[in-house]
Amino acid sequence: MDTLDKLKILGEGAKYDVCASTAARSSKIRNPAIGNTSPSGICHSFTPDGRCISLFKVLLTNYCEKDCSYCPNQLNRDVPRSRFQAEELAKLFIEFYRRNYVEGLFLSSGIMHSTSSTMNEIIKVAELLRHHYQFGGYIHLKVLPGASASEVQAAAAVADRISLNMEAPSAAHLAKLSRAKQYGAELLNTMATISTHVRRHQDITHTTQYIIGAAQESDQDILTSANDLYHSYNLKRAYFSAFQPVANTPLSHLSATPLIRENRLYQSDFLLRLYGFHLNELVFDTTGNLDPTLDPKLAYALHHPELFPLDINIVSYQQLLKVPGIGPRSAARIVQVRRDHRFNDPRELKNAGVVIKRALSFLTINGHYFGNRRLLDAPRRHSYEQLTLWGDTRDLTTITGG
Amino acid sequence: MILCSPRPVSIINAIMLAEIYNDLPCFKGEEQSLGLFGYTSAHDADNITTQTLVTRLAETGVQAGWLLASPGKTLTRHIAANLRYNAPDQPALIFGAVEEALRHGYNYSLNGIGSISRIFLQRYRAVYHEVHRMLGFIRFHPTPDGSLVAQPKLFHHTADLILRQFAPRYPGNRLVLLLSNEALILDNGKLLSAPPENFLSYIQNDPFNETWEKYYQSQYIASRKNSALAQRVIPKKYWSWLAEGRILNNIAQN
């Protein structure tokens, strides 16, 4: 099989993995011959579905001994299989990088022969890049479930980011997806090992990914799990991937998870990480799910009408972040401008980056209210659903800075 | 009439002189654009220091000390970016934005709250957005002597900024950008110019294009097709230039 055919198979095998940000603080090696890292992510292209292509995202091999029932590479599927040799992959990647097609490497793999031998092959590719090619750019390595402490350490030594996919929020949910994967021994223990390395070394971060909707888990289950990883395991970011049924897998009969669910989870995750929200402030229904028709911050604001309206010229930065239509950047800008100017007009707020349509009902400007009072006093679904029409189609996985 | 050079410090000085003398600023050589105002006595903004003008302005009640501190550096950076923005009203807008900064305070202006400042900030962002976008979209073609040659699609005067941003990524390579009338070269930190014809042959045939297209297509998840989003993130003005533009076009039409 030639390199182009391998690229097709092993590129497709990795396309469901999410790895949005390529931001990194500093290069892993001194005086690199090629490559550097950037403090902000750079997209080198976008797929026809709008997702950013920043990394050369590929599998080392799609041979796999695991039985994950959602996965296109699981061992029982009859699909073309292939593998890259470490040298071949490193050389191919450098050719991509030299031409500026990608910002770095994202390397994952099926498990071939054993976790240990596959992990060592993954690490070998990164070591070739760092030591043979003197590559100083971004490398993201997938850590396989059950990888040993020494393998995690070796991966962390050469990568800017490592990640272990949790896939499901609990052992009970994971059991519905795989009989071979052990939640405690293979996932949480490895996550703890990664966390220990991340605490010791400032130049590495770690992330994880959840499959959404394959194990009948609720949004609350997923966000609780991610929140716990943020606080207890030094996780940098959680990514969410809406389940897509794959032919000839045990879950092929399930319907695809709507992408809006993935979007709502990303929005909630942003509220938890960047907007100072606590998990108990998010609004879940009785089944533990977010309202798919409402932006989570708007749902919060409608759930707490007693907190609004707030006067734009008085409220704190933290309070501004709770207002729909105001993000961290516009809140910071408002606070800065207020030092020598009082806002008098909604147009000035718009110029400061506020999404006026969403924000006005929750604000007063110098004591004047420009919004729809009924939205707070007696909210009708129709009127507040209008507020969510814009902005919700954003693919939040492309937002960088994680 | 206040005459200045198209440089940030000169422009800032010109606006302060304009405040002091209640006159109009103008780039040197463009005096005729002022019409009858062009016949008033001229002050040269290059012949006076910012420090002196700040002191003189303070005597008239306008506090502009911030121009000598960090916000002044930020304003300088914004003006420099606006000078690279390709638009016929470029000088008028820059003069207007600096004037707003003096009248309403730097926070008002640098955050784009006023109507002129808003466009001023948008243009600053557009220039750096083009640099950032080109750091991703430019495709280099290696030459036998180790140079990397690319033909960018630029709408503003950003080629030198882009080359300098690329320099740490390719420390061992000479970088060449082919522009409409010259080849801009970054060699060991020095910017040089050469005829573009010397490099055109490297651009036309790189067999690696096929490898990229194969990889690009492998990353597409058909069930997530979202042409509207794809068009927003890669605007159509780049589709004829990027190799994947043809694929995007085909998928958008189906």
Side-chain angles (χ1 to χ4, degrees):
Chain A
M1 193 178 280
D2 73 9
T3 303
L4 273 185
D5 293 330
K6 287 184 186 180
L7 185 61
K8 182 176 186 305
I9 293 170
L10 299 171
E12 278 187 5
K15 71 182 175 185
Y16 293 102
D17 271 306
V18 190
C19 53
S21 176
T22 55
R25 285 182 193 164
S26 57
S27 181
K28 282 293 224 190
I29 59 168
R30 285 186 181 175
N31 301 321
I34 184 170
N36 72 333
T37 52
S38 163
S40 58
I42 296 172
C43 288
H44 288 251
S45 189
F46 293 87
T47 59
D49 47 81
R51 287 174 307 132
C52 161
I53 296 182
S54 57
L55 297 175
F56 180 51
K57 195 167 64 170
V58 72
L59 297 180
L60 186 69
T61 176
N62 65 340
Y63 290 101
C64 192
E65 61 185 34
K66 297 283 184 187
D67 65 345
C68 306
S69 47
Y70 55 85
C71 181
N73 304 314
Q74 65 136 278
L75 84 165
N76 296 322
R77 271 190 100 215
D78 182 18
V79 289
R81 306 269 175 178
S82 186
R83 63 170 297 190
F84 276 120
Q85 297 301 321
E87 293 79 5
E88 178 188 23
L89 182 54
K91 186 166 181 269
L92 180 64
F93 166 72
I94 285 293
E95 290 305 315
F96 269 98
Y97 191 89
R98 194 189 309 283
R99 288 166 172 80
N100 199 42
Y101 281 110
V102 290
E103 189 64 15
L105 173 69
F106 173 93
L107 186 55
S108 183
S109 183
I111 296 172
M112 189 177 177
H113 304 313
S114 70
T115 297
S116 184
S117 69
T118 313
M119 267 313 298
N120 285 329
E121 277 295 297
I122 288 175
I123 294 162
K124 187 178 170 187
V125 175
E127 285 178 342
L128 271 171
L129 288 172
R130 292 289 190 224
H131 305 315
H132 177 70
Y133 290 98
Q134 290 287 300
F135 175 67
Y138 184 89
I139 296 180
H140 179 160
L141 296 182
K142 207 47 109 175
V143 172
L144 302 177
S148 69
S150 62
E151 286 154 5
V152 169
Q153 188 175 5
V158 285
D160 298 279
R161 176 167 282 183
I162 51 179
S163 60
L164 169 70
N165 285 2
M166 291 302 287
E167 315 291 19
S170 70
H173 291 111
L174 186 68
K176 293 179 186 172
L177 303 180
S178 172
R179 277 174 294 183
K181 271 187 188 169
Q182 304 299 315
Y183 188 81
E186 289 189 334
L187 295 182
L188 277 186
N189 282 355
T190 311
M191 192 63 91
T193 310
I194 292 172
S195 171
T196 308
H197 281 285
V198 169
R199 268 196 207 104
R200 284 187 199 146
H201 303 284
Q202 294 291 313
D203 61 350
I204 181 115
T205 54
H206 80 115
T207 61
T208 194
Q209 184 174 337
Y210 293 91
I211 303 288
I212 307 303
Q216 286 85 52
E217 74 292 323
S218 68
D219 294 338
Q220 194 167 17
D221 293 332
I222 289 167
L223 289 169
T224 304
S225 168
N227 201 42
D228 182 42
L229 294 178
Y230 286 137
H231 291 110
S232 308
Y233 290 82
N234 290 86
L235 189 77
K236 183 76 174 172
R237 265 197 80 173
Y239 292 103
F240 310 108
S241 181
F243 167 73
Q244 307 279 317
V246 177
N248 305 320
T249 58
L251 298 184
S252 59
H253 63 284
L254 289 185
S255 50
T257 302
L259 293 181
I260 189 70
R261 186 175 172 201
E262 187 185 289
N263 264 356
R264 296 296 180 226
L265 282 168
Y266 274 119
Q267 287 172 323
S268 304
D269 179 64
F270 271 66
L271 294 183
L272 293 174
R273 288 188 303 115
L274 305 177
Y275 287 70
F277 274 69
H278 297 287
L279 188 62
N280 58 12
E281 290 178 306
L282 297 177
V283 181
F284 298 103
D285 64 16
T286 51
T287 63
N289 286 306
L290 299 160
D291 185 340
T293 63
L294 274 189
D295 165 70
K297 196 171 12 160
L298 181 59
Y300 164 82
L302 291 169
H303 208 70
H304 293 284
E306 74 281 3
L307 300 178
F308 301 97
L310 299 167
D311 195 299
I312 195 75
N313 287 309
I314 295 169
V315 293
S316 67
Y317 174 78
Q318 284 74 18
Q319 285 174 301
L320 283 171
L321 287 179
K322 305 272 175 172
V323 179
I326 298 183
R329 279 190 187 177
S330 46
R333 212 172 284 144
I334 289 165
V335 171
Q336 205 178 5
V337 171
R338 280 189 329 205
R339 288 177 194 156
D340 45 27
H341 177 78
R342 280 180 76 81
F343 285 93
N344 294 303
D345 188 324
R347 272 177 303 182
E348 290 181 330
L349 279 184
K350 189 180 176 194
N351 290 351
V354 174
V355 183
I356 289 297
K357 187 175 178 181
R358 288 180 176 212
L360 275 190
S361 297
F362 303 95
L363 292 172
T364 55
I365 304 174
N366 260 350
H368 297 286
Y369 185 74
F370 295 88
N372 174 4
R373 180 73 72 176
R374 270 183 298 179
L375 194 71
L376 289 177
D377 295 344
R380 284 185 190 172
R381 194 164 189 87
H382 169 74
S383 47
Y384 58 73
E385 275 178 357
Q386 290 295 314
L387 298 178
T388 71
L389 285 176
W390 307 106
D392 289 343
T393 54
R394 290 179 306 164
D395 184 349
L396 292 173
T397 61
T398 62
I399 293 176
T400 56
Chain B
M1 176 174 50
I2 313 294
L3 295 175
C4 66
S5 314
R7 292 181 298 109
V9 173
S10 184
I11 290 169
I12 290 170
N13 287 353
I15 295 301
M16 287 197 283
L17 281 169
E19 286 288 315
I20 292 165
Y21 291 106
N22 193 22
D23 207 338
L24 292 173
C26 172
F27 282 160
K28 288 174 185 171
E30 295 177 6
E31 294 90 333
Q32 67 276 21
S33 66
L34 292 180
L36 287 175
F37 291 101
Y39 293 102
T40 59
S41 57
H43 299 273
D44 190 339
D46 292 329
N47 291 340
I48 193 159
T49 65
T50 307
Q51 172 83 63
T52 309
L53 288 169
V54 166
T55 310
R56 283 179 63 183
L57 260 188
E59 290 164 6
T60 68
V62 178
Q63 297 306 319
W66 58 268
L67 282 169
L68 303 169
S70 165
K73 285 182 186 161
T74 310
L75 180 66
T76 302
R77 220 169 36 244
H78 284 216
I79 296 171
N82 268 266
L83 286 168
R84 291 171 176 276
Y85 189 90
N86 197 5
D89 64 346
Q90 183 211 70
L93 190 105
I94 297 173
F95 291 141
V98 178
E99 200 180 311
E100 260 189 13
L102 282 182
R103 292 211 174 142
H104 298 279
Y106 61 86
N107 277 321
Y108 183 84
S109 175
L110 296 178
N111 287 294
I113 307 301
S115 55
I116 297 173
S117 306
R118 179 167 164 255
I119 304 171
F120 181 66
L121 183 63
Q122 281 172 345
R123 290 184 176 183
Y124 162 80
R125 286 184 186 149
V127 165
Y128 281 99
H129 188 52
E130 177 167 279
V131 173
H132 188 77
R133 189 176 253 166
M134 284 299 123
L135 289 181
F137 286 179
I138 278 178
R139 307 291 179 237
F140 282 112
H141 303 271
T143 67
D145 71 350
S147 299
L148 296 173
V149 184
Q151 195 162 32
K153 183 158 185 142
L154 302 179
F155 296 90
H156 309 296
H157 306 291
T158 53
D160 58 320
L161 290 180
I162 292 166
L163 280 174
R164 293 206 184 278
Q165 291 277 319
F166 269 124
R169 185 175 300 215
Y170 304 109
N173 299 95
R174 190 170 69 137
L175 302 176
V176 183
L177 290 187
L178 301 188
L179 309 175
S180 56
N181 52 358
E182 64 168 343
L184 195 64
I185 302 167
L186 186 68
D187 195 359
N188 278 328
K190 287 183 183 161
L191 277 175
L192 310 164
S193 181
E197 298 78 29
N198 299 357
F199 300 94
L200 275 175
S201 61
Y202 301 115
I203 293 286
Q204 280 145 8
N205 293 313
D206 186 350
F208 203 80
N209 288 349
E210 189 191 349
T211 313
W212 164 247
E213 286 187 23
K214 186 75 104 180
Y215 174 71
Y216 179 80
Q217 286 180 315
S218 80
Q219 295 300 300
Y220 173 40
I221 301 174
S223 58
R224 298 180 76 120
K225 178 182 168 183
N226 188 343
S227 294
L229 180 59
Q231 280 182 38
R232 204 164 71 220
V233 288
I234 307 188
K236 275 195 165 177
K237 63 185 178 184
Y238 294 112
W239 284 20
S240 59
W241 172 65
L242 283 169
E244 55 269 37
R246 188 172 41 79
I247 301 170
L248 282 167
N249 199 25
N250 289 342
I251 291 175
Q253 283 174 356
N254 292 330

